[in-house]
Amino acid sequence: MVNHQFNLKTMKEQIEFYQHKLDFEIDSSDLFDALEKGENIIPLDTRKEPGFLKEHIPGAINIPHRQMNEESTRHLDKLKTYVCYCDGIGCNASTKGALNMAKLGFKVKELIGGIEWWKFDGYATEGTENTEGRNFNCSC
């Protein structure tokens, strides 16, 4: 009986854990689909301006995480969801940016893998060193 209760508790914890991940993280395919459908979502590049100018997700805005405050975000719509991203898994600017935005009262998600995985998955970028992208169908 104890083992059965433990398993039910563990299952509930697992469900809550994975639901929370999906509440606060998004992958490239889901972001692309949301943008294509015109959902209320904005990519937010949390890197410094030179990185953004070089290459960014189409339609993204740039607010470096170190510059996020009430003044720098005043113009943003709090009804939108902002997807914070940075270079990739070796960078935590997107995590810092998502935390800053949440503290400022915005609904945020973090892009898994950043712009690195966005490009790896075959999506186009804009900027001075943009990439064309390719036709991509997610297999997941």
Side-chain angles (χ1 to χ4, degrees):
M1 184 73 166
V2 173
N3 192 25
H4 178 66
Q5 289 175 337
F6 174 77
N7 287 336
L8 290 177
K9 180 183 179 221
T10 301
M11 288 175 66
K12 182 180 180 217
E13 290 172 344
Q14 288 177 335
I15 291 167
E16 289 173 358
F17 173 79
Y18 291 113
Q19 183 60 58
H20 281 16
K21 279 187 71 154
L22 292 173
D23 289 343
F24 303 115
E25 294 179 344
I26 191 169
D27 67 14
S28 298
S29 176
D30 289 342
L31 176 57
F32 181 83
D33 289 346
L35 292 169
E36 287 285 299
K37 292 175 185 172
E39 292 182 15
N40 212 15
I41 198 163
I42 304 289
L44 175 55
D45 193 315
T46 62
R47 302 173 299 160
K48 294 177 183 175
E49 187 180 36
F52 177 79
L53 293 174
K54 178 179 170 186
E55 187 173 43
H56 56 269
I57 292 173
I61 61 173
N62 178 229
I63 305 175
H65 71 89
R66 289 181 177 93
Q67 297 172 9
M68 288 177 182
N69 56 47
E70 287 186 24
E71 182 62 32
S72 67
T73 61
R74 185 177 316 272
H75 66 287
L76 300 178
D77 184 349
K78 289 197 176 185
L79 297 177
K80 296 190 181 288
T81 298
Y82 294 88
V83 177
C84 295
Y85 72 91
C86 56
D87 287 331
I89 61 173
C91 177
N92 68 2
S94 61
T95 303
K96 291 174 182 177
L99 176 60
N100 290 341
M101 292 293 285
K103 286 179 178 179
L104 290 164
F106 292 92
K107 182 178 176 187
V108 294
K109 289 191 174 202
E110 186 174 12
L111 180 62
I112 299 169
I115 196 167
E116 180 181 322
W117 282 12
W118 174 267
K119 293 187 309 184
F120 178 78
D121 283 343
Y123 299 113
T125 60
E126 296 176 336
T128 60
E129 296 182 26
N130 66 304
T131 56
E132 290 295 320
R134 62 183 191 280
N135 290 332
F136 175 75
N137 291 315
C138 181
S139 60
C140 54

